[in-house]
Amino acid sequence: MKMLKQFLRGLVAATLLAAGAAHADMTIEVVGVGSQQYPIAIVPFKNEIGLAQAITPVVGTDLGNSGLFKVIPAGDVAPQPFSSSEINFPALQAKGAQTALVGQVIPDGNQVTVRFWLVDLATKQELIAFEKRGNASQTRRLAHQIADMIYAKLTGKTGAFASRIAYVLKTPGRYQLQVADSDGYGAQTVLASRKPIMSPRWSPDGGKLAYVSFEKEKPIVYVHELATGKRIEAANFKGSNSSPAWSPDGKKLAVVLSKDLGSQIYVINADGSNPRRITQSGEINTEPSFLADGRSIVFTSDRGGSPQIYRQSIEGGEAVRMTNSGAYNASAKVSPDGRSMTYVTRSNGYRVAIMDLASRQSMVLTDTNADDSPSFAPNSQMILYETDVGRRGTLAIVSADGRIKQRLKAQGGEVRQPAWGPMLR
């Protein structure tokens, strides 16, 4: 166990006490932008004042924080347009915009209908003309979905604003497993404990979290249903139980158990039944992550003499070494699209890297030196990770090409062990 703790560097080897809303929301600081930015004018929507959350400020913040858009406020245009037919094209072009977002909100009791248009100002073509209906208390989610539609139309890539993140907030004598919107807003505490909580992982449908809790004085893997608060002990075997990872279909978990020789990887059913060992060599095998096909995993092992990343079928067989440069490579996660793998490499400190799985070409993405726990966004374009700023754990985001960098600043405590969840539907 001592060797395992040393190897993990505090990564993943490591009584529901409280649940409900918390207000330790985060703020995002953008410290790098893309090579190309799209100038977009955003006009406040008609009737959005008075909603639980005005829509256009969220859309503008989402797009601006992505590093790919230059958001141009257009609330001073007179008269304000609320549909594509009302746009004063020269006025918005004079602000430097290439596209414009206009729209309106139609209240209907506890429901709202949102109509919006994204218009190319040069051609006067409607790029998006759409109507969405939703609960009046959930306009923030609607705004994230609108931002995703704009992102997809103008970049050609799927957005990820309408997703959530999970992480562990550590304050003196207390650990909280929290979930929040992708922008850090609306944090909710799923579990609070005086004992460590580690390694949260989202189920593919976003309805459950698997994690490790030490509340019974040993590491146990739990599966926690977010809607009901119900949870089960998915792995509570003799010794250590750690590093859960969901299969793409949500039916199985890969976990790390020390009940036999050393630290080995097993596949179990999501309810904890039918454990099956799949690694056979090496003293330490840990940090599994399923590939997109669900038939193989990548994991960290010391079998070659130093921590390196290997790939192996869940049916067993020979493991293939994936990383061949450097004395330390660990904590691998495969992108949802199956094309890339992110991991932590030792290169003038511990930094987040990415590997193209087809070519095996790798690139270091970050310039910080105490990075850990990388996790892909559901669109595979961004990577969430933890790092130290002023000896304090915080979260950061880097784009898959390394150009765009963000920091998520929490109001209090250290933030560790992040996991980016799937899109909300």
Side-chain angles (χ1 to χ4, degrees):
M1 185 64 181
K2 181 178 180 182
M3 182 184 296
L4 179 62
K5 288 182 179 179
Q6 290 173 337
F7 170 71
L8 290 177
R9 274 182 61 246
L11 286 175
V12 193
T15 358
L16 186 61
L17 299 179
H23 299 285
D25 298 340
M26 300 183 189
T27 57
I28 296 179
E29 174 190 8
V30 181
V31 293
V33 298
S35 58
Q36 178 182 4
Q37 287 190 298
Y38 301 86
I40 178 172
I42 297 182
V43 180
F45 286 3
K46 183 179 181 180
N47 296 328
E48 73 173 356
I49 302 300
L51 294 174
Q53 170 64 65
I55 292 171
T56 54
V58 177
V59 173
T61 299
D62 281 349
L63 298 178
N65 285 344
S66 76
L68 294 177
F69 292 84
K70 180 182 179 181
V71 177
I72 301 170
D76 58 347
V77 174
Q80 284 190 358
F82 300 121
S83 68
S84 60
S85 62
E86 299 173 354
I87 292 177
N88 183 332
F89 290 91
L92 294 179
Q93 287 176 305
K95 289 178 169 288
Q98 294 178 359
T99 57
L101 175 68
V102 298
Q104 52 192 262
V105 178
I106 303 170
D108 182 16
N110 62 356
Q111 297 285 305
V112 293
T113 298
V114 181
R115 295 173 180 165
F116 60 95
W117 295 262
L118 179 68
V119 181
D120 184 295
L121 296 177
T123 65
K124 301 183 180 180
Q125 177 186 0
E126 292 180 353
L127 302 177
I128 299 176
F130 205 80
E131 180 177 299
K132 291 187 70 70
R133 184 172 174 83
N135 193 298
S137 65
Q138 296 182 335
T139 50
R140 190 174 189 89
R141 179 179 296 184
L142 280 173
H144 288 317
Q145 293 170 342
I146 292 170
D148 280 332
M149 294 178 67
I150 296 169
Y151 183 99
K153 175 58 69 173
L154 295 182
T155 70
K157 299 176 181 179
T158 304
F161 303 117
S163 60
R164 291 188 291 178
I165 60 175
Y167 52 87
V168 177
L169 175 66
K170 181 183 177 182
T171 53
R174 184 176 173 87
Y175 297 83
Q176 296 178 69
L177 174 60
Q178 296 194 331
V179 298
D181 288 356
S182 64
D183 58 1
Y185 181 88
Q188 292 184 311
T189 298
V190 174
L191 176 71
S193 176
R194 289 184 290 274
K195 301 295 183 180
I197 304 167
M198 305 180 73
S199 307
R201 297 292 181 267
W202 290 91
S203 63
D205 65 1
K208 300 182 181 70
L209 281 173
Y211 55 84
V212 177
S213 173
F214 284 73
E215 64 201 63
K216 293 186 177 180
E217 307 298 333
K218 63 172 288 188
I220 298 172
V221 174
Y222 291 84
V223 170
H224 193 129
E225 191 173 89
L226 296 178
T228 65
K230 178 183 177 182
R231 62 181 188 152
I232 62 169
E233 294 181 359
N236 184 9
F237 298 94
K238 176 184 176 182
S240 174
N241 308 265
S242 63
S243 297
W246 291 90
S247 62
D249 62 6
K251 296 180 178 180
K252 297 182 183 298
L253 290 168
V255 294
V256 177
L257 308 177
S258 65
K259 68 185 187 70
D260 295 322
L261 296 175
S263 171
Q264 302 296 339
I265 297 173
Y266 290 71
V267 171
I268 63 176
N269 293 334
D271 63 3
S273 63
N274 193 29
R276 179 168 55 88
R277 179 173 166 177
I278 62 173
T279 56
Q280 305 297 330
S281 64
E283 177 68 17
I284 297 173
N285 300 279
T286 189
E287 302 174 335
S289 174
F290 276 90
L291 274 73
D293 62 10
R295 297 192 295 268
S296 302
I297 59 167
V298 293
F299 61 97
T300 307
S301 179
D302 69 341
R303 65 188 63 193
S306 67
Q308 298 293 337
I309 298 167
Y310 293 79
R311 175 177 178 172
Q312 181 178 317
S313 166
I314 63 171
E315 300 303 324
E318 184 179 356
V320 177
R321 182 165 166 172
M322 301 290 290
T323 49
N324 293 294
S325 63
Y328 182 100
N329 296 286
S331 196
K333 303 291 187 307
V334 178
S335 61
D337 64 13
R339 297 177 180 176
S340 305
M341 177 180 76
T342 185
Y343 59 99
V344 173
T345 187
R346 190 164 63 203
S347 174
N348 296 319
Y350 294 90
R351 299 186 176 184
V352 175
I354 191 170
M355 175 186 289
D356 180 272
L357 291 177
S359 66
R360 296 285 188 92
Q361 296 296 308
S362 294
M363 176 175 62
V364 175
L365 298 177
T366 60
D367 51 15
T368 42
N369 57 18
D371 304 339
D372 210 343
S373 304
S375 175
F376 275 103
N379 65 356
S380 303
Q381 299 300 311
M382 307 292 285
I383 298 167
L384 175 69
Y385 64 99
E386 72 169 69
T387 191
D388 282 354
V389 176
R391 297 184 178 181
R392 176 175 172 174
T394 190
L395 301 188
I397 296 174
V398 62
S399 60
D401 63 4
R403 293 178 181 272
I404 303 167
K405 296 179 173 67
Q406 305 170 1
R407 291 177 184 167
L408 282 72
K409 296 182 177 180
Q411 293 181 1
E414 291 195 71
V415 188
R416 302 282 188 183
Q417 304 279 307
W420 207 324
M423 295 293 290
L424 295 174
R425 301 302 178 187

